Amino acid sequence: MLDLRSKFPDYYQYYGRNITKKLSLSNVRILNDSYSNFSLDKKILNISSKINTEQLLDSSLFRKIIIEVGFGNGEYLIESALSNPNILFVGSEVYVNGVAKVLKQILEHDIKNIRLCGMNFIHLLNTLNQNSIDELKIINPDPWHKKRHFKRRLVNLENIIKISRIVKNKYSSYITTDSENYFNHINEIFSSNSKIIHENKNKILSKNDTLYGVSRYQRKAIKNGKKIYQITF
Ligand SMILES: C[S@@+](CC[C@H](N)C(=O)[O-])C[C@H]1O[C@@H](n2cnc3c(N)ncnc32)[C@H](O)[C@@H]1O
């Protein structure tokens, strides 16, 4: 992964953190030795040969395909994969330390139903076929609080259109956020573009909801008394 990042920096580029602290030697080793066994990156880079989603993901043996974008330290991804061995989970994350953490867990538990993409999600999104994915989840994307940074937000009109194209059914894409501003911003995108994107459903999550408290970011927000908003489209 580290070699691909330096050879094709444009594909890995993103506004936030990529590597926050220096990579430990064990993380460098695991990325160098094992990342390519689970990663889609090389296939995405070679995509000129027309490859369909099933070939890209090697997904023929799985009942469903679920993508998690920005999995952070990967706890929800790993837990989901362990409890649903018949489903293929595709994890997208640019944060290298998070990818290394997930790789460690994959090896430790001998997990067969995870594929990883360490590039900016947009490149995976652009590669997937129409109606090829069963569900997509973005758990607390970076909120980019400052107005001048709103354009960096992952959930924008262009990406909503592209996600709607690759996901098979309506209301199978989920976003959660603890940022009221981001939540309103997303709602605004839906209401001002109702001619080109279908409508969304909203909810404030509570304890019994599936996506409540599933990640570190979420739990931190909950601990600080914040609401968790969910947008489904
Ligand atoms: C606020 S964190 C949330 C992490 C995790 N989902 C959680 O809730 O704990 C957002 C994550 O999304 C990742 N991310 C942001 N933009 C991305 C992109 N374009 N492609 C892939 N990952 C991205 C960041 O690296 C970061 O780890």
Side-chain angles (χ1 to χ4, degrees), residues 166-183:
I166 61 153
V167 173
K168 291 177 187 165
N169 296 311
K170 280 185 185 175
Y171 306 120
S172 304
S173 303
Y174 304 85
I175 300 160
T176 66
T177 180
D178 59 281
S179 160
E180 191 178 356
N181 181 286
Y182 205 171
F183 173 68

Side-chain angles (χ1 to χ4, degrees), residues 56-184:
L56 173 74
L57 303 180
D58 190 13
S59 59
S60 58
L61 296 178
F62 296 96
R63 199 166 55 75
K64 259 177 150 190
I65 302 169
I66 299 181
I67 299 185
E68 185 183 345
V69 187
F71 58 70
N73 70 7
E75 65 176 294
Y76 182 56
L77 182 70
I78 295 290
E79 201 183 291
S80 306
L82 284 172
S83 29
N84 300 282
N86 297 326
I87 297 179
L88 181 67
F89 291 87
V90 179
S92 160
E93 177 55 71
V94 283
Y95 176 50
V96 180
N97 302 65
V99 174
K101 231 176 212 172
V102 161
L103 267 180
K104 270 187 195 154
Q105 296 279 316
I106 290 178
L107 296 177
E108 196 177 312
H109 299 285
D110 194 21
I111 294 175
K112 308 274 189 232
N113 57 331
I114 290 185
R115 310 281 182 264
L116 295 172
C117 178
M119 297 171 166
N120 187 319
F121 169 61
I122 193 69
H123 299 291
L124 174 63
L125 189 53
N126 288 340
T127 303
L128 296 168
N129 292 148
Q130 189 169 357
N131 297 330
S132 60
I133 302 300
D134 294 277
E135 285 178 31
L136 182 141
K137 294 173 184 168
I138 309 179
I139 309 295
N140 290 47
D142 293 306
W144 296 110
H145 294 293
K146 291 181 187 151
K147 196 165 179 192
R148 67 189 155 91
H149 288 156
F150 284 179
K151 56 180 179 302
R152 298 180 174 188
R153 286 177 167 174
L154 181 64
V155 185
N156 55 28
L157 176 62
E158 193 187 340
N159 287 347
I160 290 172
I161 292 173
K162 287 183 175 179
I163 290 169
S164 306
R165 194 184 141 270
I166 61 153
V167 173
K168 291 177 187 165
N169 296 311
K170 280 185 185 175
Y171 306 120
S172 304
S173 303
Y174 304 85
I175 300 160
T176 66
T177 180
D178 59 281
S179 160
E180 191 178 356
N181 181 286
Y182 205 171
F183 173 68
N184 291 336

